[in-house]
Amino acid sequence: MPTTRALRDAIGGLVLFSVQAAAATAEVDDFNITQVAPGVYVHQGVTVGFDDPGSDDIANIGFIVGKDCVLVVDTGGSYRIGHQLLATIRTVTSRPVCYVVNTHVHPDHILGNAAFAEEGAVVIGHSRLPGALAHNRAFFLDQYSEALRTGDGRTDLVAPTLLVEDRLDFDLGDRPIRIWAHAPAHTDQDLSLLDLNSGTLWLGHLFVERIPALDGNLRGWIELTETLQQLDAARVIPGNGPLPQPWPSAGDAQLRYLRTLLGDVRGILAVGGFLEDALDRAGADERNQWALFDQHHKTNVTRVYTELEWE
Amino acid sequence: MRQIEKWISGLCLALAAGAPAQALADSSEDAVWNERLRSEHFGDRPIVDGSDVIVLEAPRRAEDAAVVPVSISAAFPQTDERYIRAITLLIDNNPVPLAGRFRFGPRSGRADIAMRVRVNAYTPMRAIAETNDGTLHMSRTFIKASGGCSAPAGADLKTAMQRLGRMKLATRNEDDSDGAMLTQLRISHPNVTGMQMDQVTRLYAPAHFVKEVEVSFNGTPVMSAETDISISENPSFRFYFVPEEAGELVATVTDSNGLTFTHTEVIAAKTAAN
Ligand SMILES: [Zn+2]
């Protein structure tokens, strides 16, 4: 897995950033924005199900301000949310939004892209993201037509044009940024982003409160979480839930859940157990550890069972 | 992105709640069956309520539309006097509604069958059993799921093709099974629907799926099936048979490209416990 190797190399060679945690003062406005480190702002999404009201505001999204440019990480589940984020950026700085990073294809992270495309931002994504978007395009346009409707009434699904195969380094103006593209984990188009100045690691695929949803590869996700935990970040921004989170400890709960699924389902398969046995028993002890457990756990078990059945 | 496809459920539920009358909703739910499926598969033969013959079970709402566990259980054991000859499973709103037609004999012990299917849209699902007196008995359920037939293949196709046709046969004694042995047949086969896009080439992989399954014990048929693209990737079937003596359980599978695979499992004599 070249991606993981590149990441390990990066960890080895990474110069330790001066930790500025003490300087980070939290400020909150009506869009629930927190400055988690100097120049790093995050909006915390809500913990509701994908079918519930407010489901366009599930993901943690935010921005990083450099001397020349602003970079946005994920754009929310609707044009409305993307636009609110843009309005918040404008209360902080008048610098242009040069880049938007999409951490993966899930709609709570990308449907606000149009709000920034209008500003001329370049959208950055995993090299597999355009394919995933193409595959879901008709579905998104059909099911999220209201969420996608822009200020002037168009519906627009904006795809990335700057693609990351492995790693991408660039600068916002005295603000170096590093992006890694991963092998299949949460999805098959996961990106992670590191702001080198503040040591803030942005993980769209890290879950700390709501149950992780597996849409990629279980063993890949475990391996990626373990590898990222070796990264000496001052804090991480999870894809959902409270922020910022201490690192590497914030990865422990997700890792425990994923390893439990792996162990339980392998055990059930080893004794000739059926999918129904796995649905009954695998990870059952995790029920009280996660919000929205019932929405995703059984789907996860089904995915894990079918992933491992022929390993 | 199978996960995404089920996120629409909430929207569809909201629409369903706005329907004027339950009776109207029911009749439109069954439109495909009433207008087409019923006559295509059964002509004008009468079909009665099957609750005393078979029970069809599926989750009301699928966790994963590409892998929906479905089970059909018979209400009585197979005997020479009374047995279920065949069970037809139809998923009305799938591109190919006939998921499978399964045949049993008195040797099957119980005419139970379980499998995993793809569900492409909110749909009625129905199992029709034909008993040895030639009558038809139906059990129906409704399932909320969508996108199962176009969901991308789970593993990459290349790896899947390398183990194409490998099979595993596992048996398990169950206390309440009248001497019948629960058997699971797993077939490694991508069961490509023809509706799945390769995310890199953006081309649709041509359909390639398991068409026929035959399982026999010492030469006597136990269960046979004609199947189609509604069966999930890596087909898995669960059924019973009665091993009255030691012998060989043989599974033969033929796919839509005409490839045939066989697998043999040696079964010891029936255990005293049963
Ligand atoms: Zn996600």
Side-chain angles (χ1 to χ4, degrees):
Chain A
M1 237 173 285
T3 307
T4 308
R5 202 175 314 119
L7 186 54
R8 287 214 184 95
D9 293 348
I11 297 166
L14 200 65
V15 181
L16 283 188
F17 19 77
S18 55
V19 178
Q20 295 165 311
T25 49
E27 41 185 80
V28 176
D29 71 353
D30 359 322
F31 191 48
N32 198 16
I33 283 271
T34 309
Q35 187 175 180
V36 298
V40 182
Y41 298 80
V42 189
H43 160 76
Q44 187 186 330
V46 293
T47 302
V48 301
F50 291 112
D51 300 334
D52 299 335
S55 60
D56 63 341
D57 188 19
I58 289 172
N60 293 337
I61 60 178
F63 57 98
I64 300 171
V65 183
K67 283 224 159 55
D68 306 322
C69 276
V70 178
L71 170 144
V72 166
V73 187
D74 285 337
T75 57
S78 64
Y79 177 84
R80 179 182 76 90
I81 294 291
H83 203 267
Q84 268 186 278
L85 182 64
L86 178 61
T88 307
I89 292 170
R90 288 297 162 244
T91 66
V92 172
T93 175
S94 59
R95 291 168 205 164
V97 178
C98 306
Y99 305 102
V100 164
V101 175
N102 286 157
T103 56
H104 60 293
V105 79
H106 286 160
D108 49 325
H109 296 260
I110 62 160
L111 297 187
N113 280 3
F116 299 96
E118 289 169 357
E119 296 282 296
V122 171
V123 181
I124 300 174
H126 193 292
S127 56
R128 281 189 288 263
L129 182 58
L133 267 171
H135 181 79
N136 285 286
R137 188 175 182 82
F139 173 78
F140 279 180
L141 290 175
D142 182 41
Q143 294 301 327
Y144 296 99
S145 60
E146 278 314 306
L148 286 165
R149 200 173 306 283
T150 59
D152 52 12
R154 293 168 300 122
T155 54
D156 208 357
L157 186 61
V158 177
T161 53
L162 180 52
L163 304 183
V164 188
E165 294 256 8
D166 187 27
R167 201 174 106 178
L168 178 70
D169 287 290
F170 58 106
D171 197 339
L172 306 175
D174 291 339
R175 188 127 210 169
I177 300 291
R178 178 166 294 171
I179 290 176
W180 292 278
H182 302 299
H186 168 51
T187 66
D188 70 356
Q189 350 82 34
D190 297 329
L191 292 185
S192 304
L193 179 146
L194 181 66
D195 169 42
L196 282 97
N197 286 8
S198 70
T200 304
L201 177 62
W202 218 297
L203 301 178
H205 48 263
L206 176 68
F207 294 76
V208 296
E209 187 177 67
R210 66 188 295 143
I211 181 149
L214 177 65
D215 199 13
N217 183 282
L218 176 74
R219 288 161 295 175
W221 203 358
I222 290 172
E223 190 185 341
L224 176 60
T225 311
E226 288 168 343
T227 307
L228 287 168
Q229 279 194 315
Q230 297 168 43
L231 200 60
D232 196 2
R235 67 189 69 75
V236 295
I237 309 302
N240 310 82
L243 49 91
Q245 293 280 337
W247 196 244
S249 57
D252 291 349
Q254 173 170 303
L255 203 49
R256 184 198 66 230
Y257 175 77
L258 298 176
R259 284 178 178 154
T260 300
L261 282 189
L262 180 67
D264 286 1
V265 173
R266 271 197 180 137
I268 287 163
L269 281 166
V271 297
F274 305 140
L275 175 60
E276 287 85 344
D277 300 320
L279 288 170
D280 271 354
R281 301 207 302 270
D285 296 342
E286 291 281 327
R287 173 173 295 276
N288 299 322
Q289 308 293 323
W290 300 99
L292 302 165
F293 183 86
D294 291 330
Q295 286 214 354
H296 287 292
H297 177 68
K298 288 192 169 178
T299 312
N300 291 340
V301 172
T302 304
R303 300 257 161 85
V304 172
Y305 187 95
T306 50
E307 178 187 322
L308 299 180
E309 189 171 34
W310 285 95
E311 77 173 343
Chain B
M1 302 310 99
R2 286 170 283 184
Q3 171 188 336
I4 292 163
E5 271 128 355
K6 81 186 189 58
W7 291 352
I8 67 163
S9 312
L11 301 170
C12 296
L13 279 172
L15 290 176
Q22 192 56 39
L24 186 63
D26 283 355
S27 68
S28 65
E29 269 178 6
D30 288 319
V32 176
W33 165 252
N34 288 328
E35 288 163 16
R36 184 162 73 78
L37 283 184
R38 187 191 163 110
S39 57
E40 270 175 22
H41 290 278
F42 302 102
D44 52 10
R45 296 170 65 185
I47 301 176
V48 299
D49 172 74
S51 49
D52 55 346
V53 174
I54 48 165
V55 179
L56 167 65
E57 280 182 288
R60 278 162 44 87
R61 182 169 162 179
E63 309 292 349
D64 182 341
V67 189
V68 180
V70 174
S71 69
I72 299 159
S73 327
F76 50 85
Q78 300 282 88
T79 61
D80 288 331
E81 295 71 46
R82 190 179 188 210
Y83 63 92
I84 293 172
R85 229 185 248 159
I87 293 175
T88 303
L89 178 67
L90 296 168
I91 305 171
D92 291 17
N93 297 334
N94 267 10
V96 179
L98 178 66
R101 184 172 286 125
F102 304 88
R103 289 177 205 284
F104 306 90
R107 191 65 180 265
S108 307
R110 288 182 181 189
D112 285 19
I113 184 83
M115 75 214 80
R116 308 190 299 231
V117 299
R118 297 169 163 129
V119 178
N120 213 44
Y122 281 29
T123 183
M125 191 183 280
R126 54 192 87 237
I128 297 98
E130 182 179 334
T131 45
N132 60 321
D133 60 4
T135 56
L136 298 171
H137 312 258
M138 181 163 77
S139 175
R140 173 197 182 280
T141 186
F142 190 88
I143 182 158
K144 291 173 174 153
S146 68
C149 296
S150 56
D156 70 294
L157 204 53
K158 222 166 151 189
T159 316
M161 292 308 281
Q162 281 164 0
R163 47 160 212 253
L164 183 77
R166 268 181 56 194
M167 279 183 262
K168 294 180 187 173
L169 262 170
T171 55
R172 185 198 282 184
N173 281 310
E174 301 227 313
D175 292 340
D176 59 344
S177 59
D178 320 315
M181 198 175 248
L182 183 58
T183 306
Q184 177 160 265
L185 170 65
R186 297 178 212 259
I187 305 160
S188 179
H189 198 294
N191 238 40
V192 182
T193 62
M195 299 168 60
Q196 295 153 299
M197 196 188 349
D198 182 305
Q199 293 198 19
V200 178
T201 64
R202 310 224 185 149
L203 297 172
Y204 290 92
H208 182 197
F209 56 91
V210 169
K211 272 192 85 127
E212 281 168 41
V213 179
E214 283 187 24
V215 181
S216 62
F217 185 64
N218 289 345
T220 307
V222 168
M223 189 281 290
S224 67
E226 298 153 51
T227 55
D228 213 292
I229 61 167
S230 291
I231 302 294
S232 303
E233 179 179 358
N234 297 326
S236 171
F237 300 101
R238 215 159 68 219
F239 49 90
Y240 284 92
F241 82 107
V242 184
E244 274 160 4
E245 70 286 315
E248 287 188 342
L249 189 63
V250 180
T252 306
V253 167
T254 307
D255 73 17
S256 57
N257 287 6
L259 300 170
T260 298
F261 314 95
T262 53
H263 180 84
T264 302
E265 197 75 24
V266 175
I267 305 292
K270 204 172 68 168
T271 57
N274 283 303

